[in-house]
Amino acid sequence: MVGVSDGQASRWEPSVLAPVGGPLLSLALATLMEDVHAHSGGVYLLAPDEPVLEMAVMAGLPRAFAAPWERVGLRASLPVAEAVRERRLVWVSGEEQMANRYPRVAVVLPYPFALAALPLASADTVYGAVFVTWPATHPPELSGHERDQLGRACERLVTRLARAVEKSHPVGPEPDLPTPGATAAVAGTLGSGEAVRMVARLPYGLCALDLHGRVGYANAAAAELLGMPVGGLLGTQLWASLPWLNDPAYEDCYRAALISQHVTSFVALRPPGEWLSFRLYPGTSGLSMRISRARAVSAMARAEPRHDEATTRLVTISHVLSLAGALTEAVGVQDVVRLIASEFAPTVGSQALMLLGSQGGRLRVLGHRGYPDASIAERFDGEPLTAQIPGAHVLTSGVPAFFESRRQLEHLYPARRATPDGMAAWAFLPLIASGRPVGTCVLAYAEPHAFPADERAILTSLSGLIALALERALLYDAKHQLAHGLQAALLPHSLPSLPGIEAAARYLPATRGMDIGGDFYDLVPTFGRAAAVIGDVQGHNVTAAGLMGQIRTAVRAYTTVGQTPGQVMRSTNRLLIDLGSDLFASCVYLRLDPARQRVVMARAGHPPPLLRKPDGQVRVLDLAGGPLLGIDAAVTYPTTEFTLPPGSVLALYTDGLIESPGVDIEDALTELGERLAESGDEPLDELADRLMLHTATAEERLDDIALLLLRARAS
């Protein structure tokens, strides 16, 4: 696609584009940023053999600012990954929206800026993604012009990327874009010599910093205030060359100024006792720094940074904050595995990972990613902890192990020669939480990989975060299994086979809480007839499930002794009140007589059943009923009788099936009725799956769902 405007050839005409193999990405990014007046940006390319986006070029900011996201898994909760997954533009208007939607980014970059991310994708191929940022002064919405420019630029770049692939010239990473000199404008106006003399005469210190924080110019006053000759400052970062400025808080002010394009300031203590004031004025090519003596600062209650301890660099802090933010979202063990695969492994360049735990003196493979054959990882499951393999040794000893090549690994563990996994380097990290080992994280690399001391320290420290998340996840999974066991014990294991009635049921717990709830159903045979019941106790926790079990047992007992539907409802209502519970319950109770084709219904505050007649017409049985169970001991529940000819289908359900945020309940009920009308002739199990399909595939369910289908058959 070729873009044109005002009748003139666009700068993207093939005749003026860089040839395939040239700096295609850099050129496209620079042009895009100029067109939309963006402050910074970057291009990601999809890795050839794994679902990972790799940063190919960045402009406007140092690449170190995006260090935690050099490699991004497609399932990561990040704007560029979401743009690719959903094939749409992702817009984040500022720091508040960033904190709400992408807390991991906000934790690492807590500054005011706006961001747009777009996919680089054709109808059938994903190439990568683009992002651009603006200072916080950008309006809260993208303009139509900006949206058009962003969309067209991505379309043009996709066309060029596709052409490069066709010609067997795949596009790879390119050098980050350079920035213009910081003093070009001043020198062009005053002459460089006069500009230098003017600045030298000022009574306060002035420094020019590039985008990486390196000093490009400093006047004599700055050198005097900082206590270092100008020659010692040039080409260095102040926080690296001056020990008393080696504090992440000061570097963070520089990052904040660059990203937000807002003036920032801080004060620092120059030993032995002089406070200096620093004010940073950002621009697109760097910063100007004004330094002066601070007045009346001695009263400030600020402790001097301790420089006798090693100070962690901000890039390392960024990785820690990003991973910590990701792991707070982990609930179960598989969540931990997924987040390590999408957030941690891509950052450190690992191609495969395995998470090991222990049970009964044996290794347990808790999860793995990246191995071409699952059996490669799963063969370690069940190995004794005394086995001479690195995963078991690291778990029991708590000491990390790094192997830069296969030769190193097989030298210490000869048994591994017989079980190759196709990898060439490994990091075995002990996961220690609350002072005890809970597992081992195995990072595998496709090529030989050196592990310098600083990288080993980073991996070991980050493994502590993984250990805490794994310990929490193991506890959650144990509670989850207990809850599911309780739920399974309280609901019917199967539905009875009844003459003249075909039945099918489904149950789905809410995705919040313990995946256990108070929805219930039952089908009870009674002397040639049957009783069907469905209900919903408030809540989705153990208390609701326990009360549900009591109500279901009571309904079955009252049915067995021959009570009428109205009496069953009254007896259950009184029981719930006598139990002294603060919870209420809704219920629908049906007495079925298939031989006479008759049904008697009693209802207590429950959504009305749906009746599909043999001709396909669906009726909502919004008949008379009473209040919720557990409110009034003296209330009576009216009953209604209706016919159920052969071929009819009754759909009993709880409100979780038709209630969802932002959807009108009447519209949802109408849609459910339409699906029942359309598919009501299908086998009952298939019909149940179809009616549950939308909610079963939803990522989040706020309420439990129970469904009971009954079809009348000819005797």
Side-chain angles (χ1 to χ4, degrees):
M1 178 178 290
V2 176
V4 293
S5 61
D6 300 327
Q8 300 295 323
S10 165
R11 75 188 74 190
W12 284 93
E13 285 283 357
S15 60
V16 298
L17 274 170
V20 172
L24 171 62
L25 303 179
S26 302
L27 196 62
L29 180 60
T31 305
L32 172 59
M33 290 172 57
E34 180 182 346
D35 287 344
V36 298
H37 306 292
H39 167 235
S40 70
V43 179
Y44 284 87
L45 294 178
L46 186 65
D49 300 320
E50 51 184 333
V52 172
L53 295 170
E54 297 178 330
M55 183 172 287
V57 64
M58 188 167 177
L61 289 173
R63 184 175 288 224
F65 283 25
W69 310 294
E70 282 274 355
R71 302 180 83 242
V72 173
L74 288 183
R75 297 187 62 181
S77 180
L78 295 170
V80 288
E82 185 173 311
V84 171
R85 286 197 308 271
E86 301 184 6
R87 300 289 188 94
R88 66 176 180 88
L89 183 151
V90 173
W91 166 247
V92 185
S93 63
E95 57 183 330
E96 182 176 347
Q97 198 174 95
M98 185 70 78
N100 289 335
R101 294 170 55 188
Y102 308 102
R104 304 176 206 170
V105 179
V107 166
V108 178
L109 300 175
Y111 317 117
F113 67 97
L115 178 145
L118 300 94
L120 293 173
S122 62
D124 55 1
T125 305
V126 174
Y127 297 96
V130 172
F131 78 89
V132 288
T133 71
W134 293 265
T137 52
H138 189 283
E141 297 294 337
L142 278 173
S143 68
H145 170 76
E146 289 170 329
R147 288 180 178 272
D148 290 343
Q149 291 293 333
L150 290 169
R152 291 171 183 169
C154 288
E155 290 175 0
R156 292 190 290 261
L157 184 51
V158 166
T159 301
R160 291 304 303 255
L161 290 170
R163 190 178 307 165
V165 172
E166 291 173 3
K167 295 185 177 182
S168 299
H169 293 296
V171 178
E174 298 174 3
D176 291 345
L177 291 178
T179 56
T183 60
V186 176
T189 303
L190 299 175
S192 58
E194 182 59 31
V196 170
R197 287 190 291 273
M198 178 190 74
V199 173
R201 290 192 293 265
L202 295 174
Y204 43 80
L206 283 180
C207 292
L209 309 182
D210 66 12
L211 292 178
H212 299 276
R214 295 185 294 256
V215 178
Y217 172 82
N219 65 359
E224 180 184 353
L225 288 168
L226 296 175
M228 178 171 284
V230 171
L233 295 173
L234 295 180
T236 70
Q237 296 172 319
L238 292 180
W239 45 87
S241 57
L242 298 171
W244 50 276
L245 281 178
N246 191 8
D247 185 331
Y250 302 146
E251 186 178 352
D252 189 58
C253 291
Y254 141 78
R255 292 158 62 92
L258 272 187
I259 294 176
S260 68
Q261 291 290 288
H262 286 175
V263 176
T264 62
S265 59
F266 63 90
V267 292
L269 178 65
R270 174 191 167 187
E274 184 174 21
W275 287 92
L276 298 180
S277 172
F278 295 80
R279 194 164 181 82
L280 304 175
Y281 299 87
T284 57
S285 59
L287 303 97
S288 297
M289 175 182 287
R290 182 182 187 275
I291 309 169
S292 60
R293 288 182 172 84
R295 296 181 176 84
V297 180
S298 57
M300 295 174 59
R302 184 185 188 280
E304 180 182 358
R306 295 181 60 181
H307 303 295
D308 55 336
E309 300 174 355
T311 305
T312 305
R313 302 301 303 146
L314 270 177
V315 170
T316 303
I317 293 174
S318 298
H319 284 93
V320 173
L321 291 174
S322 180
L323 180 62
L327 290 175
T328 58
E329 301 175 10
V331 178
V333 171
Q334 293 310 307
D335 290 334
V336 175
V337 175
R338 175 178 59 81
L339 286 168
I340 296 173
S342 61
E343 299 291 331
F344 183 38
T347 300
V348 299
S350 169
Q351 282 72 47
L353 71 93
M354 181 166 36
L355 203 61
L356 302 174
S358 66
Q359 184 179 13
R362 294 187 176 272
L363 278 181
R364 290 289 176 247
V365 177
L366 303 177
H368 57 85
R369 294 288 190 278
Y371 293 97
D373 184 354
S375 63
I376 292 176
E378 292 170 358
R379 66 190 173 200
F380 296 105
D381 194 66
E383 287 281 346
L385 293 180
T386 55
Q388 293 303 305
I389 53 177
H393 183 257
V394 168
L395 192 151
T396 54
S397 68
V399 178
F402 301 91
F403 303 96
E404 299 181 358
S405 66
R406 179 185 298 277
R407 184 177 180 181
Q408 284 187 0
L409 177 68
E410 294 176 352
H411 175 71
L412 290 178
Y413 299 94
R416 280 299 300 269
R417 293 193 185 99
T419 57
D421 59 8
M423 297 296 164
W426 298 264
F428 290 83
L429 307 174
L431 304 179
I432 300 173
S434 304
R436 63 182 185 87
V438 295
T440 300
C441 179
V442 184
L443 299 174
Y445 299 77
E447 302 293 337
H449 183 87
F451 295 96
D454 57 345
E455 183 174 346
R456 296 185 183 207
I458 291 171
L459 292 176
T460 304
S461 63
L462 292 178
S463 68
L465 297 175
I466 297 173
L468 292 174
L470 178 60
E471 182 184 44
R472 186 174 63 247
L474 289 169
L475 179 60
Y476 174 86
D477 282 352
K479 291 182 177 179
H480 191 267
Q481 292 174 5
L482 175 63
H484 270 274
L486 175 61
Q487 188 83 55
L490 294 176
L491 290 173
H493 293 289
S494 61
L495 296 176
S497 178
L498 302 173
I501 295 291
E502 180 185 357
R506 297 291 184 271
Y507 173 81
L508 283 175
T511 55
R512 294 183 178 179
M514 291 184 65
D515 279 10
I516 183 173
D519 290 15
F520 67 96
Y521 61 87
D522 205 354
L523 186 61
V524 185
T526 58
F527 310 109
R529 295 182 294 179
V533 62
I534 194 166
D536 181 3
V537 178
Q538 283 179 304
H540 28 85
N541 51 37
V542 174
T543 301
L547 189 60
M548 172 268 283
Q550 291 176 296
I551 292 176
R552 175 174 167 256
T553 302
V555 169
R556 179 174 277 266
Y558 297 142
T559 299
T560 303
V561 299
Q563 288 192 0
T564 66
Q567 291 172 333
V568 170
M569 281 295 194
R570 289 195 297 273
S571 299
T572 307
N573 178 51
R574 286 194 296 270
L575 171 68
L576 188 56
I577 292 174
D578 291 343
L579 289 173
S581 172
D582 293 331
L583 301 179
F584 306 127
S586 65
C587 187
V588 168
Y589 182 93
L590 304 177
R591 181 64 55 83
L592 306 166
D593 189 345
R596 296 178 55 240
Q597 302 179 12
R598 305 297 293 174
V599 177
V600 179
M601 180 178 79
R603 187 158 66 103
H606 199 83
L610 297 179
L611 172 62
R612 184 187 188 272
K613 298 179 180 179
D615 61 3
Q617 296 295 314
V618 174
R619 174 189 173 195
V620 179
L621 298 178
D622 196 6
L623 305 174
L628 292 169
L629 302 175
I631 294 178
D632 182 359
V635 73
T636 60
Y637 292 89
T639 59
T640 305
E641 187 173 343
F642 58 90
T643 60
L644 188 70
S648 301
V649 177
L650 269 171
L652 312 180
Y653 54 91
T654 55
D655 53 9
L657 187 62
I658 58 173
E659 289 184 355
S660 58
V663 178
D664 184 81
I665 193 169
E666 295 295 334
D667 294 338
L669 188 57
T670 299
E671 181 185 354
L672 180 64
E674 291 173 351
R675 280 186 279 151
L676 178 60
E678 179 183 345
S679 307
D681 293 327
E682 295 181 358
L684 215 54
D685 279 315
E686 295 181 15
L687 176 59
D689 291 336
R690 188 176 297 278
L691 296 181
M692 295 285 284
L693 179 63
H694 175 71
T695 50
T697 57
E699 292 186 2
E700 182 173 274
R701 291 184 299 275
L702 301 181
D703 201 357
D704 315 306
I705 301 169
L707 173 68
L708 178 61
L709 297 180
L710 306 170
R711 175 179 282 150
R713 297 182 299 192
S715 301

